Amino acid sequence: MALDDAVARELRALLGDRFVLTEPEQLRVYDCDGLTGWRAQPAIVVLPGSTEEVQAVLRLCHRRGLPFVARGAGTGLSGGALPVADGVVVSLARLNRILEIDLASQRVVVEPGVANLDVTLAVEEAGWFYAPDPSSQQVCTIGGNVAENSGGAHCLKNGFTVNHVTGLSVVLPDGELVELGGKALDPDGYDLLGAFVGSEGTLGIATRITLRVLRRPETVVTLLAAFRTSDEAGGAVSGVIGAGIVPAAIEMMDELTLEAAEAAYHPGYPDGAGAVLLVELDGVAVQVDEDEAAVVEICRSCGAFDIRTAAEETERALLWKGRKGAFAAMGRVSPDYYVQDGVVPRTRLPEVLRRITELGREHGLRVANVFHAGDGNLHPLVLYDAKRGEADRARVLAEAILAACLDAGGSLTGEHGVGVDKACAMPQMFSEDDLEAFARLRAAFDPEGCANPGKVLPTPRLCGEVPGPYRMHPLERIGLAERL
Ligand SMILES: Cc1cc2nc3c(=O)[nH]c(=O)nc-3n(C[C@H](O)[C@H](O)[C@H](O)COP(=O)(O)OP(=O)(O)OC[C@H]3O[C@@H](n4cnc5c(N)ncnc54)[C@H](O)[C@@H]3O)c2cc1C
């Protein structure tokens, strides 16, 4: 149902004029997330300032049968926060308070619009940190992290978001408020908390989130190991894990990524490297020393020609800056890129990386690789130039890479979610029965299907019709028009 003026008036009465946006130039800001190839203009954007206001908005949507999409910072890379055309976007930006710091219980309670990094900043002086650290952590929100079950470089040892959320207040699509979990671990009954984390905005809106924080480790050591080839680096990853060492992080960057990151941030990555591993070890000093010696030995035996340990905090931060800023640095080597997110069994990393290189060659496009190697979570960045009409080819190549991950026994997303981007790929991994079970779970929370419709589960409309990936207008192609 399209929105009428009465709806806008009712929302203004609920939230105040300032927090209900209807002008086209205001709505445009919300027309996509980090997957910028997909765009749709909502009819209205609301910015509620409390749980009660979120409830009132969803009650109205429920009454009117209006589709709504929750939005955090809009950094998602799978189109999860892509608006439904003519629907409502519920921005959680104003719900950005840290409500409680309870270190005696190892818990921090936040509103969903709090940025990920702000949780660590709030507790670090007292010697604590929040472990899941997406590379977008300076801006992405805890609400978005919960919805995507986000990961990050340091999730190898400590686990993904799902392992760090113990409680949620959730506004269901009919406006009812429910409590899932609390401060204690493992609540009784069905694991509805686990079902909500990673549900990509399809089960309701989280308005209050209880997080587990961890003590800072006694010692942290960051090593850089440079190899001539990705094969060698992949071998070292398997070697480290196979030796029973669990680093806080093992990240890999290939030659193209190193070139871009070096140009953007100058971290001093070694010349001539075909791949670099960043290995971080943390824990008690004696154990870290022992593990460091073992990791150095394994890397050497796998062909590392340069191994360095960051001597001080500033050097360590710079090495990480190159890795965490790698996506943003791609602008140095390509006008456009598409981020793929797939998982492969760690032992098959070298083989899949070779296959990705072959696929890039077959499709005539370059692919840079930067990823959470310890988890086997690949992020191939398909480089293309939209102005030269390469966008469709990039998408086809990205899909072929995903198929290669699945063929190797992997999964279609590691941490960026399914969203709109991969809904059509779901049947490649899940059977019809699986998909039916997902749909029934979803319907138990949202029988009317108003919460983020068209995402995650494939529907004929999504897989065949608009909104679709951006295609260049002929006028743009010949340089007479520009997309802003
Ligand atoms: C440069 C860059 C690097 C990135 N690196 C990583 C990485 O290392 N690891 C990683 O996992 N991801 C990464 N991402 C992806 C992205 O940052 C994460 O998915 C993040 O969790 C999205 O948070 P957000 O606040 O931007 O959410 P949005 O993009 O606004 O929303 C994401 C999804 O969450 C839903 N949602 C938002 N808030 C709520 C809520 N309160 N209740 C219910 N549903 C809600 C939305 O409807 C949508 O489906 C990266 C993105 C970029 C641009």
Side-chain angles (χ1 to χ4, degrees), residues 268-288:
Y269 296 141
D271 285 341
V276 150
L277 290 183
L278 277 185
V279 184
E280 192 152 283
L281 300 160
D282 68 13
V284 289
V286 186
Q287 183 69 53
V288 169

Side-chain angles (χ1 to χ4, degrees), residues 207-404:
T207 58
R208 191 182 152 103
I209 301 162
T210 305
L211 301 170
R212 185 167 74 104
V213 287
L214 303 178
R215 284 295 288 177
R216 280 220 168 273
E218 180 186 312
T219 309
V220 179
V221 167
T222 307
L223 284 165
L224 176 151
F227 300 82
R228 298 283 174 212
T229 65
S230 296
D231 259 30
E232 291 175 353
V237 173
S238 295
V240 169
I241 302 289
I245 300 166
V246 186
I250 309 187
E251 300 286 300
M252 195 194 293
M253 291 182 278
D254 73 358
E255 195 172 358
L256 252 179
T257 310
L258 292 168
E259 183 190 330
E262 190 60 43
Y265 310 109
H266 319 295
Y269 296 141
D271 285 341
V276 150
L277 290 183
L278 277 185
V279 184
E280 192 152 283
L281 300 160
D282 68 13
V284 289
V286 186
Q287 183 69 53
V288 169
D289 284 352
E290 199 177 294
D291 288 350
E292 182 185 356
V295 169
V296 167
E297 188 46 44
I298 291 165
C299 288
R300 268 218 185 94
S301 69
C302 290
F305 66 89
D306 189 353
I307 301 179
R308 307 174 190 166
T309 302
E312 50 181 48
E313 185 51 34
T314 43
E315 193 182 345
R316 182 176 162 251
L318 192 59
L319 290 179
W320 277 112
K321 190 171 177 186
R323 161 61 188 95
K324 294 212 168 187
F327 289 4
M330 280 300 140
R332 303 281 175 151
V333 293
S334 174
D336 300 286
Y337 68 88
Y338 174 92
V339 187
Q340 185 53 283
D341 166 45
V343 183
V344 296
R346 247 181 329 246
T347 47
R348 299 192 67 178
L349 272 174
E351 159 199 346
V352 176
L353 289 171
R354 274 197 301 277
R355 180 71 190 128
I356 291 173
T357 307
E358 275 166 29
L359 287 167
R361 219 175 283 130
E362 281 166 27
H363 290 77
L365 292 173
R366 293 177 302 163
V367 182
N369 286 292
V370 48
F371 56 97
H372 309 309
D375 296 312
N377 181 193
L378 295 174
H379 290 319
L381 303 166
V382 177
L383 310 186
Y384 68 97
D385 185 349
K387 290 210 163 95
R388 293 172 58 184
E390 293 174 350
D392 285 346
R393 209 167 359 129
R395 176 163 289 273
V396 173
L397 170 54
E399 283 168 9
I401 290 174
L402 195 63

Side-chain angles (χ1 to χ4, degrees), residues 70 72-77 80 112 134-136 141 144-145 147-148 150-151 200 204 206 415 452:
T75 65
L77 291 169
S135 301
S136 51
T141 66
N145 293 175
E148 299 289 356
S150 294
E200 304 194 26
E415 56 183 16
N452 217 358

Side-chain angles (χ1 to χ4, degrees), residues 49 56 65 90 99 101 125 128 148 168 213 233 242-243 250 281 283 293 357 359 361 376 383 406 419 432 436 453:
V90 183
L99 300 171
I101 295 178
E125 236 183 79
W128 296 76
E148 299 289 356
L168 290 171
V213 287
I250 309 187
L281 300 160
T357 307
L359 287 167
R361 219 175 283 130
L383 310 186
L406 293 173
E432 265 186 43
E436 177 58 24

Side-chain angles (χ1 to χ4, degrees), residues 32-35 68-82 90-92 95 111-116 133-137 139-153 155 160-161 168-171 196 199-209 251 323-328 337 339 341 372 377 379 414-417 419 451-452 455-456:
C32 69
D33 62 4
L35 185 74
F68 67 86
V69 178
R71 184 179 176 101
T75 65
L77 291 169
S78 57
L82 176 78
V90 183
S91 163
L92 283 314
L95 289 180
E111 291 184 323
V114 168
N116 171 297
D133 60 338
S135 301
S136 51
Q137 70 185 140
V139 286
C140 70
T141 66
I142 293 294
N145 293 175
V146 167
E148 299 289 356
N149 187 19
S150 294
C155 290
F160 279 54
T161 300
L168 290 171
S169 300
V170 172
V171 179
F196 192 91
S199 61
E200 304 194 26
T202 61
L203 304 185
I205 297 186
T207 58
R208 191 182 152 103
I209 301 162
E251 300 286 300
R323 161 61 188 95
K324 294 212 168 187
F327 289 4
Y337 68 88
V339 187
D341 166 45
H372 309 309
N377 181 193
H379 290 319
E415 56 183 16
H416 294 170
N452 217 358
K455 313 288 170 63
V456 184

Side-chain angles (χ1 to χ4, degrees), residues 48 109 192 208 226 240 477:
V109 184
L192 298 179
R208 191 182 152 103
V240 169
R477 199 169 297 127

